[in-house]
Amino acid sequence: MWKQSENIVHRLFSRQINRAPPNTHINKTRQLYENIVPSFTVYDVECPEQLWRCFTNDGQYLICFSRNLHDVLIYRPCWLSYCPAPDSVDELPIKAKKFESYFTLLHQIPLVSGQTELLCKDFFLATENNVYGIFAASMIQDTNPAAATGAVPTVPSVEKTTFFLVRLADGVVTDQRVFHDDYIHLAHNAGVFLHDDLLAVLSVRFQCIHILQVRDGGLFLDVRTIGNFCCEDDELLLNSQSQEEVLTEGSQVLGGLKQRLLSFIMQGIQDENVSPGVRARLLQRFYYHFQHYVDLVMWKVQFLDRHHLLIKFGSLDGLLQQRNTDTSQQTSFLAVYNLETTKMLAFYQNSAEEMLQLVEHYYDYFRMALPIPTYMNFISSYGNNIFSQEQLRKQKTTCVTSRSYQLSQVIRRTLSVLPFNCQSQSPSAYFDQYLFHYDEKFISAIDRHKPCMEHPIKFISRRRPNTLKFKINPGLELGANDGQIRRVASFLFHPVFPFAISVQQSFLQATVVNFHFRR
C-alpha cells in the first residue's frame, strides 16, 4: 500500500498532480493541516484589558469585550511579520509579545452605559454571511419579582434585556430589540438560536418563543410569537369565545402550545394498533400524568429547519436548578413542532432509545439547522465520525456490563446536549478527529472553559498514532509556581489559519494569554 509522505513540499506537489476521489476534495485538502500546525508558542503576550469571545466563522474578525462590559471590540487579524537579523534567525523580535502585532482594532462600539446594564460576555451570534453580529445586554436579575399576568411563578425577572444588531464591517448599530421584565438564558447562546435569517428567542418567564427575522438591511422584524397562541388569529378567536362563555371558578385555560402537546399525546394513544385493554391502560397512565404534562415548562429551543422547532420541556424545579445540578439526570422531554401547521410531530422522553438512535444516525441535523454551512460539515460528531461513534459504543457497552451504571444514564447524558447551543463549536480543522487525537477533558471544539493542567495538551496524528504533531500549553512557559490554585483555560482557534489563542485564568491571579502559531 502506498504510504503518503509527511514532507509538506511532497504533499503540495501531490495535491497539484493527483485528483481526489469524487466528493472528497475538501477532505483531501484538510489533510494538509497535519503538516501545517500551530506548533510554536509565544508565552504571556501583552494584551489590553479585555474579555475574549471568539473568531467569526469566516476568520475575518476577532470579537472581544471591554473589561467593564460596556463596549464591543472588533479586531482584524494582521499577523506577525518581521525580518530577522542574520545572527538571530531563531529569535523573535520584542514586538512578538505584543497584541498589536497580531491584531488591528477596527471598532470600539459603546453599546451600554452606567452600572445597571452590562453586556453578556458569553453571548455572540453572527449571521450566516458574517455581515452582522448580534450582541446582548441585560440588567441584574430579580430573584423575587412581583407577579405578572402570564408569568411563571418563582422564575427570576430581568428588568431589561436588549439585543443589538451590529454591522461588523463599519461597527454601526443598525437595530435593537428590548424585552422588559423577562428572563432569557444568554450565557453561551443557550436561550437564542439563529438559523439563516430567523432568530428564535425563548422567554423563560412568559413561556413563549419569539421568532424574529434579521433583514438584509439590518433590521429586526417580528414574525410571530408562539406560546399561549400558535396562529395569528388565535387571540381574536379566544376573545370572541370568552364573551359567550363564562369560565367556572378555578378552571384553567391551557396555552396553545401546551394544548397542541396534550392533543398529540392523546391522539398517539388513540392511533396505537393495540388491543382495547392495552389502550385503556395507556389512557389510564396518561390521565395519571396529566397534571405533570400540564406543569411542563420550556427549557430550550432550536431550529431544525425553517419550519420545525425542537423544544425541550421539563419541570419548573429542574429549570430553576439548571446551574446547580446535572440536568442530564433529570427527566425531560423533547418535542418537534411544525411552525406552518402548528402541530406537534414527535414527543420523546430523554431516556428513549429511539431518540438516541435518531441522534446517533442524524446527529448533524440536530447540531445545525438545514442547510448546513460547508465549514460546519466537518465538525466531528456521532453522525460523521467513526471515532466519536466508537467512543459512544464503549460507553454503552460499559453500562451494559457494569452493575453501577445503567443504559438510561448514557441515553440521558447523550441527549442532554439537545437542543444545541447555537454557534457553540469551533470549525477549526485541528478539532477534526479524523486528523488528530486529543484529550477532550482539557480541550474540545465546544465553547467552554476547561480545567488547566501543568502539562501541555498533546495533539496526536490519527494516521500515525504514535506521532506527536503539536502541543498547546495554556500556562506559563516554566509552569505555575503554586500547583494548588485551580486554573481554567479557554481556547480560540482561528477557523482557517494555524493560529490559536489560549487564555488561562485563576482566582486572584493575572490572566495568562498565549499565542500559538506555525512559525
Side-chain angles (χ1 to χ4, degrees), residues 135-273:
F135 301 88
S138 64
M139 304 180 75
I140 299 175
Q141 70 179 35
D142 182 5
T143 57
N144 189 23
T149 304
V152 179
T154 71
V155 172
S157 174
V158 176
E159 182 180 344
K160 181 183 178 184
T161 302
T162 308
F163 292 95
F164 300 93
L165 188 61
V166 178
R167 191 163 51 233
L168 300 177
D170 55 13
V172 175
V173 180
T174 59
D175 199 4
Q176 63 184 43
R177 181 56 51 93
V178 180
F179 295 90
H180 292 284
D181 299 322
D182 208 336
Y183 186 71
I184 301 168
H185 288 299
L186 297 178
H188 304 290
N189 312 332
V192 183
F193 198 93
L194 177 65
H195 165 55
D196 195 12
D197 61 344
L198 295 180
L199 185 71
V201 180
L202 175 61
S203 166
V204 176
R205 188 168 186 237
F206 293 98
Q207 284 296 290
C208 61
I209 304 169
H210 302 279
I211 307 295
L212 309 176
Q213 185 180 22
V214 182
R215 304 288 292 177
D216 293 337
L219 296 174
F220 285 127
L221 179 66
D222 289 316
V223 177
R224 70 172 66 176
T225 299
I226 304 167
N228 287 332
F229 310 110
C230 295
C231 298
E232 297 178 356
D233 58 347
D234 281 355
E235 185 174 8
L236 178 62
L237 179 62
L238 288 176
N239 288 337
S240 61
Q241 188 73 11
S242 62
Q243 295 176 3
E244 300 176 4
E245 298 180 2
V246 179
L247 296 176
T248 60
E249 185 177 357
S251 62
Q252 182 181 7
V253 178
L254 298 177
L257 194 61
K258 192 64 64 65
Q259 180 66 41
R260 299 293 196 280
L261 176 61
L262 294 172
S263 300
F264 175 80
I265 300 173
M266 183 70 174
Q267 190 63 45
I269 296 175
Q270 296 291 350
D271 294 341
E272 285 273 4
N273 187 18

Side-chain angles (χ1 to χ4, degrees), residues 86 92 175-176 246 265-266 287 366 424 427 453 483 515:
L92 290 177
D175 199 4
Q176 63 184 43
V246 179
I265 300 173
M266 183 70 174
Y287 296 139
F366 290 97
S424 62
M453 306 301 291
F515 285 176

Side-chain angles (χ1 to χ4, degrees), residues 29 45 83 107 111 135 253 413 441 468:
T29 302
V45 178
C83 183
H107 314 290
L111 294 182
F135 301 88
V253 178
R413 188 167 296 277
K441 294 180 182 177
L468 174 65

Side-chain angles (χ1 to χ4, degrees), residues 123 132 159 169 247 261 265 315 324 349 376 405 417 445 499:
F123 182 92
Y132 297 100
E159 182 180 344
L247 296 176
L261 176 61
I265 300 173
S315 66
N324 303 322
Q349 191 171 339
M376 297 297 290
Y405 290 93
V417 299
F499 183 86

